[in-house]
Amino acid sequence: MTDLFAEAQALFEYTRAMRRDFHAHPELGFHEVRTAGVVAKELTSLGLEVSTGVGGTGVVALIEGSKPGPVVMVRADMDALPIVEETGAAYASLNPGVMHACGHDAHTAVLLTTARLLLAHKNELSGSVKLVFQPAEEGMGGAEKMIADGVLENPRVDTALALHVWNEMPVGWIGIASGPAMAGAEIFKIVVRGKGGHGAVPQLAVDPIYAAAQIVSSLQSIVSRNVSPLKTAVVSVCTIHGGETFNVIPPRVELTGTIRTFEPQVRTRVLERFEQVIRQVAGGLGCEVDIDVQRLTPATINDAAVAQKVLDSARRLLPHAEITAGNYITMGSEDFAFFMEKVPGCFFFIGSANAEKGLDAAHHHPRFDIDESCLPSAAALMTTAVMDHLSCGTSL
Ligand SMILES: [Zn+2]
Ligand SMILES: [Zn+2]
Protein backbone atom coordinates (compact mmCIF):
# COMPACT_ATOMS: atom_id res chain seq x y z
CA MET A 1 0.00 0.00 0.00
CA THR A 2 1.39 3.34 -1.02
CA ASP A 3 0.81 6.16 1.40
CA LEU A 4 2.31 9.20 -0.24
CA PHE A 5 1.21 11.52 2.53
CA ALA A 6 3.15 9.44 5.07
CA GLU A 7 6.14 9.37 2.71
CA ALA A 8 5.99 13.16 2.33
CA GLN A 9 5.66 13.54 6.12
CA ALA A 10 8.80 11.44 6.52
CA LEU A 11 10.61 13.97 4.30
CA PHE A 12 9.24 16.99 6.20
CA GLU A 13 12.56 17.85 7.86
CA TYR A 14 14.21 17.82 4.44
CA THR A 15 11.52 19.98 2.83
CA ARG A 16 11.57 22.48 5.68
CA ALA A 17 15.36 22.70 5.73
CA MET A 18 15.44 23.35 1.98
CA ARG A 19 12.67 25.93 2.23
CA ARG A 20 14.41 27.75 5.06
CA ASP A 21 17.72 27.69 3.20
CA PHE A 22 16.09 29.27 0.13
CA HIS A 23 14.20 31.70 2.35
CA ALA A 24 17.41 32.89 4.00
CA HIS A 25 19.09 33.33 0.61
CA PRO A 26 16.51 34.99 -1.63
CA GLU A 27 17.45 36.12 -5.13
CA LEU A 28 15.63 38.36 -7.59
CA GLY A 29 14.36 37.15 -10.96
CA PHE A 30 17.09 35.96 -13.38
CA HIS A 31 19.60 36.24 -10.55
CA GLU A 32 18.70 32.93 -8.90
CA VAL A 33 22.29 31.72 -9.19
CA ARG A 34 22.74 30.28 -5.72
CA THR A 35 19.20 28.87 -5.68
CA ALA A 36 19.69 27.21 -9.07
CA GLY A 37 23.02 25.85 -7.86
CA VAL A 38 21.44 24.27 -4.79
CA VAL A 39 18.61 22.82 -6.91
CA ALA A 40 21.06 21.39 -9.46
CA LYS A 41 23.20 19.89 -6.68
CA GLU A 42 20.18 18.27 -5.03
CA LEU A 43 18.91 16.81 -8.30
CA THR A 44 22.36 15.57 -9.27
CA SER A 45 22.68 13.87 -5.88
CA LEU A 46 19.52 11.95 -6.74
CA GLY A 47 21.23 10.60 -9.84
CA LEU A 48 19.36 12.84 -12.27
CA GLU A 49 20.87 14.45 -15.33
CA VAL A 50 20.41 18.18 -14.93
CA SER A 51 20.21 21.02 -17.48
CA THR A 52 21.06 24.44 -16.11
CA GLY A 53 20.83 27.94 -17.60
CA VAL A 54 17.47 27.15 -19.22
CA GLY A 55 15.67 30.45 -19.87
CA GLY A 56 18.31 32.32 -17.90
CA THR A 57 18.80 30.67 -14.52
CA GLY A 58 16.27 27.84 -14.91
CA VAL A 59 17.02 24.21 -14.05
CA VAL A 60 15.41 21.18 -15.70
CA ALA A 61 15.67 17.44 -15.07
CA LEU A 62 13.77 14.45 -16.38
CA ILE A 63 12.60 11.43 -14.43
CA GLU A 64 11.92 8.60 -16.82
CA GLY A 65 9.44 5.98 -15.72
CA SER A 66 9.93 2.28 -16.30
CA LYS A 67 7.28 2.21 -19.05
CA PRO A 68 6.67 4.60 -21.93
CA GLY A 69 3.85 7.10 -21.69
CA PRO A 70 3.04 10.80 -21.62
CA VAL A 71 5.24 13.57 -20.24
CA VAL A 72 4.02 15.55 -17.25
CA MET A 73 5.83 18.76 -16.42
CA VAL A 74 5.90 20.04 -12.85
CA ARG A 75 7.03 23.62 -12.38
CA ALA A 76 8.28 25.53 -9.36
CA ASP A 77 9.27 29.19 -9.45
CA MET A 78 12.47 30.26 -7.66
CA ASP A 79 12.52 34.07 -7.55
CA ALA A 80 12.12 36.43 -4.62
CA LEU A 81 10.95 40.05 -4.41
CA PRO A 82 12.60 43.44 -3.74
CA ILE A 83 11.10 43.74 -0.23
CA VAL A 84 12.80 44.34 3.12
CA GLU A 85 11.80 41.35 5.27
CA GLU A 86 10.17 42.10 8.65
CA THR A 87 9.25 38.59 9.81
CA GLY A 88 11.98 38.38 12.42
CA ALA A 89 12.15 34.65 11.65
CA ALA A 90 15.30 32.72 12.49
CA TYR A 91 15.59 31.92 8.79
CA ALA A 92 14.88 35.51 7.63
CA SER A 93 16.58 36.93 4.55
CA LEU A 94 20.34 37.37 4.72
CA ASN A 95 20.17 39.34 1.49
CA PRO A 96 19.11 42.87 2.49
CA GLY A 97 16.21 44.26 0.48
CA VAL A 98 15.33 40.91 -1.06
CA MET A 99 12.71 38.58 0.38
CA HIS A 100 10.83 35.40 -0.43
CA ALA A 101 7.49 37.13 0.17
CA CYS A 102 5.43 35.06 -2.25
CA GLY A 103 6.33 31.53 -1.14
CA HIS A 104 8.49 30.55 -4.11
CA ASP A 105 11.03 29.22 -1.60
CA ALA A 106 8.35 26.72 -0.55
CA HIS A 107 7.55 25.83 -4.15
CA THR A 108 11.20 25.06 -4.90
CA ALA A 109 11.53 22.93 -1.75
CA VAL A 110 8.26 21.12 -2.50
CA LEU A 111 9.38 20.26 -6.03
CA LEU A 112 12.70 18.89 -4.75
CA THR A 113 10.69 16.74 -2.33
CA THR A 114 8.34 15.70 -5.13
CA ALA A 115 11.38 14.61 -7.13
CA ARG A 116 12.46 12.37 -4.25
CA LEU A 117 9.00 10.88 -3.86
CA LEU A 118 8.63 10.26 -7.59
CA LEU A 119 12.04 8.62 -7.81
CA ALA A 120 10.99 6.23 -5.05
CA HIS A 121 8.07 5.25 -7.30
CA LYS A 122 9.89 5.37 -10.62
CA ASN A 123 8.97 1.80 -11.44
CA GLU A 124 5.29 2.64 -11.21
CA LEU A 125 5.49 5.48 -13.73
CA SER A 126 4.24 4.98 -17.28
CA GLY A 127 5.82 8.02 -18.83
CA SER A 128 8.17 10.79 -17.75
CA VAL A 129 8.19 13.74 -15.41
CA LYS A 130 9.92 16.94 -16.39
CA LEU A 131 10.99 18.86 -13.29
CA VAL A 132 11.09 22.57 -14.17
CA PHE A 133 12.60 25.11 -11.79
CA GLN A 134 11.72 28.46 -13.29
CA PRO A 135 13.36 31.84 -12.80
CA ALA A 136 11.68 35.23 -12.68
CA GLU A 137 7.99 34.53 -12.22
CA GLU A 138 7.24 37.94 -10.69
CA GLY A 139 6.36 39.77 -13.87
CA MET A 140 9.73 39.35 -15.52
CA GLY A 141 9.04 36.77 -18.19
CA GLY A 142 10.74 33.65 -16.80
CA ALA A 143 8.15 31.25 -18.20
CA GLU A 144 8.34 32.75 -21.69
CA LYS A 145 12.12 32.54 -21.65
CA MET A 146 12.03 28.87 -20.67
CA ILE A 147 9.50 28.16 -23.42
CA ALA A 148 11.71 30.00 -25.93
CA ASP A 149 14.59 27.80 -24.73
CA GLY A 150 12.55 24.71 -25.62
CA VAL A 151 11.48 23.51 -22.17
CA LEU A 152 8.21 22.16 -23.59
CA GLU A 153 10.08 20.02 -26.17
CA ASN A 154 12.49 17.06 -26.07
CA PRO A 155 10.54 15.30 -24.83
CA ARG A 156 7.35 17.18 -25.67
CA VAL A 157 5.28 18.01 -22.59
CA ASP A 158 1.68 16.73 -22.59
CA THR A 159 0.45 18.11 -19.28
CA ALA A 160 1.70 20.90 -17.01
CA LEU A 161 1.18 21.10 -13.25
CA ALA A 162 2.12 23.70 -10.66
CA LEU A 163 0.97 24.82 -7.24
CA HIS A 164 1.06 27.95 -5.11
CA VAL A 165 1.10 28.09 -1.33
CA TRP A 166 -1.78 30.41 -0.51
CA ASN A 167 -1.97 32.66 2.54
CA GLU A 168 -5.47 33.88 1.73
CA MET A 169 -6.63 30.51 3.06
CA PRO A 170 -5.73 28.43 6.13
CA VAL A 171 -3.47 25.44 6.16
CA GLY A 172 -5.53 22.33 5.38
CA TRP A 173 -7.41 24.02 2.53
CA ILE A 174 -6.88 23.19 -1.12
CA GLY A 175 -8.20 25.14 -4.11
CA ILE A 176 -8.52 23.49 -7.52
CA ALA A 177 -10.29 25.62 -10.11
CA SER A 178 -11.86 24.14 -13.18
CA GLY A 179 -11.28 26.73 -15.89
CA PRO A 180 -10.18 30.25 -14.86
CA ALA A 181 -7.91 30.28 -11.80
CA MET A 182 -5.99 33.54 -11.97
CA ALA A 183 -6.48 36.71 -13.96
CA GLY A 184 -4.64 37.86 -17.04
CA ALA A 185 -2.67 41.03 -16.41
CA GLU A 186 -1.56 44.04 -18.38
CA ILE A 187 0.61 46.82 -17.06
CA PHE A 188 0.23 50.35 -18.30
CA LYS A 189 1.99 53.68 -18.34
CA ILE A 190 0.20 56.92 -19.18
CA VAL A 191 2.04 60.19 -19.73
CA VAL A 192 -0.23 63.24 -19.56
CA ARG A 193 1.37 66.27 -21.15
CA GLY A 194 0.08 69.81 -20.59
CA LYS A 195 1.84 73.13 -20.29
CA GLY A 196 3.64 74.11 -17.12
CA GLY A 197 3.18 77.44 -15.43
CA HIS A 198 2.72 79.36 -12.19
CA GLY A 199 0.36 77.80 -9.70
CA ALA A 200 -1.27 81.20 -9.19
CA VAL A 201 -1.91 81.71 -12.90
CA PRO A 202 -3.57 78.48 -14.04
CA GLN A 203 -5.31 80.13 -16.98
CA LEU A 204 -1.97 80.44 -18.75
CA ALA A 205 -1.05 76.80 -18.16
CA VAL A 206 -2.58 73.50 -19.23
CA ASP A 207 -2.70 71.54 -15.98
CA PRO A 208 -1.78 67.86 -16.39
CA ILE A 209 -2.38 67.17 -12.68
CA TYR A 210 -6.03 68.13 -13.01
CA ALA A 211 -6.32 66.04 -16.18
CA ALA A 212 -4.58 63.08 -14.50
CA ALA A 213 -7.00 63.28 -11.57
CA GLN A 214 -9.96 63.21 -13.96
CA ILE A 215 -8.41 60.27 -15.82
CA VAL A 216 -7.95 58.31 -12.57
CA SER A 217 -11.62 58.89 -11.67
CA SER A 218 -12.96 58.21 -15.14
CA LEU A 219 -11.02 54.95 -15.54
CA GLN A 220 -13.13 53.51 -12.72
CA SER A 221 -16.20 53.88 -14.93
CA ILE A 222 -14.89 51.07 -17.14
CA VAL A 223 -15.44 48.33 -14.58
CA SER A 224 -18.65 49.84 -13.21
CA ARG A 225 -20.25 50.97 -16.51
CA ASN A 226 -18.72 49.01 -19.40
CA VAL A 227 -18.20 45.52 -17.97
CA SER A 228 -21.18 43.33 -17.15
CA PRO A 229 -21.79 43.10 -13.39
CA LEU A 230 -21.64 39.34 -13.90
CA LYS A 231 -18.11 39.48 -15.33
CA THR A 232 -14.83 40.34 -13.68
CA ALA A 233 -12.26 43.07 -14.31
CA VAL A 234 -9.97 45.40 -12.39
CA VAL A 235 -8.38 48.68 -13.46
CA SER A 236 -5.97 50.05 -10.86
CA VAL A 237 -3.82 53.15 -11.11
CA CYS A 238 -0.97 52.38 -8.72
CA THR A 239 1.51 55.22 -9.17
CA ILE A 240 1.09 58.90 -9.98
CA HIS A 241 4.03 61.21 -10.33
CA GLY A 242 4.08 64.87 -11.31
CA GLY A 243 5.30 68.17 -10.05
CA GLU A 244 8.19 69.27 -7.84
CA THR A 245 6.92 72.13 -5.73
CA PHE A 246 3.78 73.82 -4.39
CA ASN A 247 3.50 76.79 -6.73
CA VAL A 248 4.42 75.35 -10.12
CA ILE A 249 2.02 73.54 -12.43
CA PRO A 250 4.20 70.85 -13.97
CA PRO A 251 4.29 70.10 -17.69
CA ARG A 252 3.69 66.37 -17.29
CA VAL A 253 2.30 63.68 -15.05
CA GLU A 254 3.02 59.99 -15.27
CA LEU A 255 0.63 57.25 -14.15
CA THR A 256 1.23 53.51 -14.03
CA GLY A 257 -0.98 50.62 -13.03
CA THR A 258 -2.48 47.32 -13.96
CA ILE A 259 -5.52 45.82 -15.66
CA ARG A 260 -6.81 42.34 -14.75
CA THR A 261 -9.35 40.28 -16.68
CA PHE A 262 -10.25 36.64 -17.30
CA GLU A 263 -12.22 36.46 -20.53
CA PRO A 264 -10.83 37.59 -23.91
CA GLN A 265 -14.02 39.54 -24.76
CA VAL A 266 -13.92 41.39 -21.44
CA ARG A 267 -10.22 42.10 -21.94
CA THR A 268 -10.79 43.52 -25.42
CA ARG A 269 -13.63 45.74 -24.20
CA VAL A 270 -11.66 47.02 -21.20
CA LEU A 271 -8.60 47.82 -23.30
CA GLU A 272 -10.74 49.59 -25.90
CA ARG A 273 -12.47 51.75 -23.30
CA PHE A 274 -9.19 52.34 -21.46
CA GLU A 275 -7.73 54.06 -24.51
CA GLN A 276 -10.94 55.97 -25.35
CA VAL A 277 -11.52 57.27 -21.82
CA ILE A 278 -7.95 58.48 -21.41
CA ARG A 279 -7.74 60.15 -24.82
CA GLN A 280 -11.10 61.86 -24.54
CA VAL A 281 -10.71 63.05 -20.96
CA ALA A 282 -7.20 64.35 -21.64
CA GLY A 283 -8.25 65.89 -24.96
CA GLY A 284 -11.23 67.60 -23.38
CA LEU A 285 -8.88 69.25 -20.90
CA GLY A 286 -6.35 70.31 -23.50
CA CYS A 287 -3.70 67.74 -22.67
CA GLU A 288 -1.90 65.24 -24.86
CA VAL A 289 -1.32 61.66 -23.76
CA ASP A 290 0.98 58.77 -24.49
CA ILE A 291 -0.51 55.40 -23.57
CA ASP A 292 1.57 52.26 -23.34
CA VAL A 293 -0.12 48.98 -22.40
CA GLN A 294 1.93 45.80 -22.15
CA ARG A 295 0.58 42.31 -21.64
CA LEU A 296 2.16 40.78 -18.55
CA THR A 297 0.47 37.38 -18.48
CA PRO A 298 -2.54 35.72 -20.04
CA ALA A 299 -5.25 34.46 -17.70
CA THR A 300 -4.38 31.21 -15.93
CA ILE A 301 -7.00 28.81 -17.26
CA ASN A 302 -7.02 25.25 -15.97
CA ASP A 303 -7.95 22.45 -18.33
CA ALA A 304 -11.19 20.97 -16.99
CA ALA A 305 -10.11 17.34 -17.48
CA VAL A 306 -6.69 17.83 -15.89
CA ALA A 307 -8.22 19.78 -12.99
CA GLN A 308 -10.75 17.00 -12.42
CA LYS A 309 -7.94 14.46 -12.21
CA VAL A 310 -6.03 16.59 -9.71
CA LEU A 311 -9.24 16.97 -7.71
CA ASP A 312 -9.77 13.20 -7.69
CA SER A 313 -6.15 12.77 -6.53
CA ALA A 314 -6.66 15.34 -3.76
CA ARG A 315 -9.89 13.80 -2.50
CA ARG A 316 -8.30 10.36 -2.35
CA LEU A 317 -5.00 11.48 -0.84
CA LEU A 318 -6.36 14.01 1.65
CA PRO A 319 -9.94 12.97 2.43
CA HIS A 320 -10.17 15.35 5.38
CA ALA A 321 -8.91 18.44 3.57
CA GLU A 322 -11.27 21.30 2.91
CA ILE A 323 -11.30 21.48 -0.88
CA THR A 324 -12.76 24.28 -2.96
CA ALA A 325 -13.29 22.84 -6.40
CA GLY A 326 -14.54 24.38 -9.57
CA ASN A 327 -14.71 28.09 -8.99
CA TYR A 328 -11.86 29.28 -6.82
CA ILE A 329 -10.45 32.26 -8.68
CA THR A 330 -8.25 35.20 -7.76
CA MET A 331 -7.39 38.46 -9.51
CA GLY A 332 -3.69 37.87 -8.98
CA SER A 333 -1.80 36.74 -12.06
CA GLU A 334 0.72 34.00 -12.62
CA ASP A 335 3.07 33.39 -15.51
CA PHE A 336 2.41 29.64 -15.41
CA ALA A 337 -0.39 30.80 -17.74
CA PHE A 338 2.18 30.90 -20.57
CA PHE A 339 2.79 27.16 -20.21
CA MET A 340 -0.95 26.50 -20.11
CA GLU A 341 -1.42 28.47 -23.32
CA LYS A 342 0.64 25.73 -24.97
CA VAL A 343 -0.33 22.58 -23.08
CA PRO A 344 -3.31 21.61 -20.92
CA GLY A 345 -2.60 21.84 -17.24
CA CYS A 346 -3.69 22.68 -13.74
CA PHE A 347 -2.48 25.32 -11.31
CA PHE A 348 -3.76 24.71 -7.80
CA PHE A 349 -3.55 26.36 -4.38
CA ILE A 350 -2.44 24.95 -1.04
CA GLY A 351 -3.69 26.89 1.97
CA SER A 352 -0.69 28.04 4.02
CA ALA A 353 -1.96 30.61 6.54
CA ASN A 354 -2.22 30.12 10.29
CA ALA A 355 -3.72 33.16 12.00
CA GLU A 356 -3.13 31.76 15.50
CA LYS A 357 0.60 31.59 14.84
CA GLY A 358 0.58 35.01 13.18
CA LEU A 359 1.42 33.40 9.84
CA ASP A 360 -1.28 35.03 7.78
CA ALA A 361 0.29 38.13 6.23
CA ALA A 362 -0.61 38.57 2.58
CA HIS A 363 1.65 37.60 -0.29
CA HIS A 364 4.22 40.32 -1.07
CA HIS A 365 3.90 41.72 2.48
CA PRO A 366 7.15 42.31 4.48
CA ARG A 367 5.83 39.96 7.20
CA PHE A 368 4.67 37.22 4.82
CA ASP A 369 5.42 33.75 6.12
CA ILE A 370 3.68 30.40 5.85
CA ASP A 371 2.72 27.59 8.19
CA GLU A 372 5.23 25.02 7.03
CA SER A 373 2.94 22.16 8.02
CA CYS A 374 1.35 22.64 4.59
CA LEU A 375 4.50 21.42 2.88
CA PRO A 376 3.97 17.63 3.11
CA SER A 377 0.42 17.92 1.76
CA ALA A 378 1.75 20.01 -1.12
CA ALA A 379 4.47 17.52 -2.03
CA ALA A 380 2.22 14.49 -1.57
CA LEU A 381 -0.56 15.98 -3.67
CA MET A 382 1.78 17.00 -6.47
CA THR A 383 3.35 13.53 -6.49
CA THR A 384 -0.04 11.81 -6.46
CA ALA A 385 -1.34 14.05 -9.24
CA VAL A 386 1.69 13.23 -11.39
CA MET A 387 1.40 9.50 -10.72
CA ASP A 388 -2.31 9.53 -11.48
CA HIS A 389 -1.61 11.33 -14.74
CA LEU A 390 0.92 8.70 -15.64
CA SER A 391 -1.95 6.25 -15.21
CA CYS A 392 -0.29 4.03 -12.70
CA GLY A 393 -2.78 4.85 -9.97
CA THR A 394 -1.75 5.11 -6.35
CA SER A 395 -3.68 2.88 -4.06
CA LEU A 396 -3.92 4.39 -0.64
ZN1 LIG B 1 4.11 36.89 -6.13
ZN1 LIG C 1 3.96 33.69 -6.49
Side-chain angles (χ1 to χ4, degrees), residues 21-32 35 78-87 91-102 105 138 140 364-366 368:
D21 178 66
F22 296 132
H23 192 91
H25 301 94
E27 295 168 301
L28 294 175
F30 294 124
H31 292 86
E32 306 92 335
T35 310
M78 302 188 290
D79 56 323
L81 287 153
I83 292 173
V84 178
E85 179 160 354
E86 293 175 9
T87 62
Y91 45 87
S93 172
L94 298 172
N95 187 1
V98 184
M99 176 188 176
H100 268 296
C102 200
D105 48 346
E138 298 283 0
M140 297 171 74
H364 294 203
H365 189 279
F368 173 83

Side-chain angles (χ1 to χ4, degrees), residues 21-309:
D21 178 66
F22 296 132
H23 192 91
H25 301 94
E27 295 168 301
L28 294 175
F30 294 124
H31 292 86
E32 306 92 335
V33 177
R34 181 189 180 277
T35 310
V38 172
V39 167
K41 191 171 143 252
E42 287 297 312
L43 296 174
T44 306
S45 78
L46 298 174
L48 293 169
E49 209 173 292
V50 178
S51 306
T52 56
V54 185
T57 40
V59 181
V60 180
L62 191 71
I63 297 176
E64 287 179 276
S66 56
K67 294 170 226 101
V71 179
V72 175
M73 167 188 136
V74 186
R75 174 277 222 164
D77 38 15
M78 302 188 290
D79 56 323
L81 287 153
I83 292 173
V84 178
E85 179 160 354
E86 293 175 9
T87 62
Y91 45 87
S93 172
L94 298 172
N95 187 1
V98 184
M99 176 188 176
H100 268 296
C102 200
H104 300 183
D105 48 346
H107 303 165
T108 306
V110 164
L111 186 49
L112 286 173
T113 307
T114 302
R116 289 182 170 235
L117 293 168
L118 286 168
L119 279 167
H121 293 274
K122 209 174 145 188
N123 292 338
E124 298 160 47
L125 300 177
S126 301
S128 309
V129 188
K130 200 176 267 193
L131 307 166
V132 175
F133 295 83
Q134 183 206 304
E137 188 282 326
E138 298 283 0
M140 297 171 74
E144 286 171 291
K145 277 212 161 189
M146 289 200 96
I147 293 168
D149 256 4
V151 77
L152 293 175
E153 306 298 326
N154 293 322
R156 181 180 286 260
V157 171
D158 297 294
T159 306
L161 299 175
L163 59 79
H164 209 298
V165 292
W166 207 238
N167 259 24
E168 288 181 20
M169 298 300 276
V171 76
W173 173 91
I174 296 168
I176 305 168
S178 177
M182 296 185 85
E186 347 285 319
I187 49 174
F188 62 78
K189 179 174 157 183
I190 307 163
V191 179
V192 185
R193 281 182 279 110
K195 186 177 155 214
H198 199 298
V201 195
Q203 74 276 17
L204 297 182
V206 177
D207 186 353
I209 290 191
Y210 180 72
Q214 298 298 321
I215 288 170
V216 172
S217 298
S218 302
L219 283 176
Q220 293 314 313
S221 71
I222 298 173
V223 174
S224 66
R225 302 292 88 183
N226 303 129
V227 175
S228 160
L230 303 175
K231 304 286 183 188
T232 312
V234 174
V235 179
S236 288
V237 175
C238 298
T239 72
I240 175 162
H241 290 115
E244 301 291 338
T245 189
F246 74 96
N247 59 355
V248 177
I249 292 171
R252 58 178 265 153
V253 173
E254 203 175 291
L255 312 163
T256 65
T258 185
I259 296 169
R260 306 287 164 116
T261 53
F262 283 100
E263 294 179 22
Q265 301 90 320
V266 174
R267 175 175 177 266
T268 305
R269 179 73 177 138
V270 170
L271 293 180
E272 205 175 75
R273 286 297 293 153
F274 184 77
E275 176 113 15
Q276 286 169 357
V277 165
I278 294 168
R279 290 210 184 283
Q280 288 175 17
V281 170
L285 296 170
C287 287
E288 290 180 357
V289 275
D290 301 322
I291 305 170
D292 180 42
V293 180
Q294 305 271 348
R295 190 189 204 198
L296 195 64
T297 61
T300 303
I301 312 284
N302 285 343
D303 179 86
V306 178
Q308 184 59 49
K309 268 192 148 177

